[in-house]
Amino acid sequence: MKQPLEFSTLERFKTAAKLSEEHFDLLVIGGGITGAGIALDAASRGLKVALLEKNDFASGTSSKSTKLIHGGLRYLKQFDFWLVKEVGSERAIVHHLAPHLVLPEKMLLPLIEHGSYGKWLTSIGLKVYDILAQVSGEDKRKMLEKKEALKLEPLLPKKILKGAGYYAEYRTDDARLTLENIKTSLFYGATAVNYTEVTNFIYEDDKVTGLAVKDHILNTEFTVGGSYVVNAAGPWVDELRGLNNSKKGKHLQLTKGVHLVFPYEKLPVKQSVYFDIPDGRMMFAIPRGKITYIGTTDTKYDEDKDHVKTEIADAIYLISAVNNMFPTINLELEDIISSWAGLRPLIYEEGKSASELSRKDEIFTSETGLISIAGGKLTGYRKMAERVVNLVAKKMEEDHHRTLKECTTEKIPLCGNDFKSYKQVKKYISKVYKRIEADGFSKYDAWYLVTNYGKQTENILEIYAQENGDDQQLRMVLAELKFGVQHEMIHTPMDFFIRRTGRLYFDIESVNEYMEPVLAEFKIMFKLSDDAIEGYRAQLLADIKEHSGFSVPG
């Protein structure tokens, strides 16, 4: 395993100096999964790349998806065979690149009376899905009779259940997948920085040749020069196109997706279920460690992109759908322990509802040379990146007679992975558990470390061994934090608790439990004042309140 590179906010002065002093082949705006994939693809082809993110990496859409690397079965109903083929094929590739982070997940599709999917069409649809996505072996779809479906998931509605489709998907942590792409790009010489906002474009002969930026941590402003600029800012793509005076023709339609989190005991599904909602849509119930989460909504959104919230109407809609599908479950609003709400940057289509809008990505190039990419799905991030970098490569050949090699990202293991298969991941989890069991850690703790960090768990265990104190769980949390500050550009406690560890969503009790010692460690590491720590405390408490409750509109 390659040792993780130094990637720390504590080295920020050096990073800022490099950005302002050097010239880059490619500047990427946006530190979500699309920008991360572009940075890795471009850097691995030999380009000198800088990636800039105005908030934290993955803080927009890329930490708020359904967290599935899935083939989009529902797009078969829209006859979008191209999309199903591409993202279906990508699942296995991304799993191979990071089998510790992209985990196999069997999906159950219940067939119910008067449901969206009939038995014959589902069987044909899943067969087409297998062919398009090149599914092989045990992952091939199976059609189950009612009795078999109930054995797999006893919570299903006996009265109206007719059978089920059973097929393979993959579950991930979208924020960590984004971060590991960025960290892997560093091995190829990329430079990446968070909390650095693009405030304007710089032009020469009416072509974009750089960016004016503001570093919100150092509170400095400077310029960064680049031969080409890619706008991969997700929901903010059109703002940057507007800044570039190129917001013409097609534009974004944002849709909001909400997910709710419950204790596993409240919704103890045995595996992921993809099921009907009475209004004709479909949704997921996905077990994950201590919790089960459900989602998602799909409603048009035109409000503040920086403050997307779960509202009471969203929560009631999702809970009603679950209670309808699982008759013995009676979820209530007070059972919600966490939630997240995010935006999908889709391409506007006249007369189409939010759920009907295509998930295809599109690339726009302005007269000034700004390349913008919008739309797409988490699963397809690698191919989206390849298309963008192919375009940059074509321009580079025309403008500078420089030929780039072909894309090789399907063969580049992501940081933290030297596993050959998921079986090796499971063996490593068992090995880690044996090493930490004597200190009072559970199998869940070993699973959590490995599925978050892969073999980088070794680095965390090394730091843990050097920590003092009798509270072993706290020692491990602080070891994670120190690893993240040094190697994952953590700047705030929110970066740590939300995007690097997922604790706010998947283990919210641990945020309450470890908030104070983490804040104390931040004060020491970053040499912060009492006022700064109080500000972080207030922000964390506000985040806990926002994610564990819901907002009443108006």
Side-chain angles (χ1 to χ4, degrees), residues 437-485:
E437 183 184 9
D439 280 0
F441 290 98
S442 65
K443 287 181 181 175
Y444 170 82
D445 294 319
W447 172 87
Y448 161 80
L449 283 169
V450 175
T451 57
N452 250 28
Y453 302 103
K455 286 289 180 73
Q456 295 167 115
T457 299
E458 296 298 323
N459 302 94
I460 291 167
L461 292 178
E462 281 174 27
I463 302 169
Y464 167 77
Q466 294 161 14
E467 288 288 310
N468 297 316
D470 298 326
D471 186 335
Q472 319 294 18
Q473 289 280 357
L474 175 58
R475 282 174 57 198
M476 191 68 82
V477 169
L478 294 179
E480 273 190 273
L481 174 63
K482 288 178 180 177
F483 173 80
V485 167

Side-chain angles (χ1 to χ4, degrees), residues 94-162:
V94 181
H95 168 65
H96 180 68
L97 299 179
H100 64 292
L101 191 55
V102 180
L103 312 173
E105 182 80 11
K106 285 289 188 181
M107 192 71 68
L108 194 63
L109 174 65
L111 305 176
I112 60 170
E113 287 176 16
H114 312 299
S116 302
Y117 291 88
K119 192 170 186 178
W120 184 78
L121 274 175
T122 300
S123 180
I124 296 292
L126 286 173
K127 180 71 175 174
V128 171
Y129 189 60
D130 279 356
I131 292 166
L132 289 175
Q134 300 170 310
V135 177
S136 60
E138 292 219 342
D139 282 349
K140 282 190 175 179
R141 71 93 169 90
K142 293 174 187 168
M143 296 305 297
L144 307 177
E145 296 299 324
K146 177 175 178 175
K147 196 173 177 182
E148 295 173 292
L150 284 168
K151 190 175 178 183
L152 277 175
E153 188 46 78
L155 295 176
L156 291 173
K158 293 183 180 67
K159 284 186 180 177
I160 58 171
L161 185 69
K162 300 173 84 174

Side-chain angles (χ1 to χ4, degrees), residues 8-10 481 485 490-492 521-529 536:
S8 173
T9 286
L10 298 171
L481 174 63
V485 167
I490 286 174
H491 180 74
T492 74
E521 194 64 42
F522 256 88
K523 186 174 184 180
I524 295 166
M525 284 192 289
F526 289 91
K527 300 180 176 65
L528 297 174
S529 66
Y536 283 147

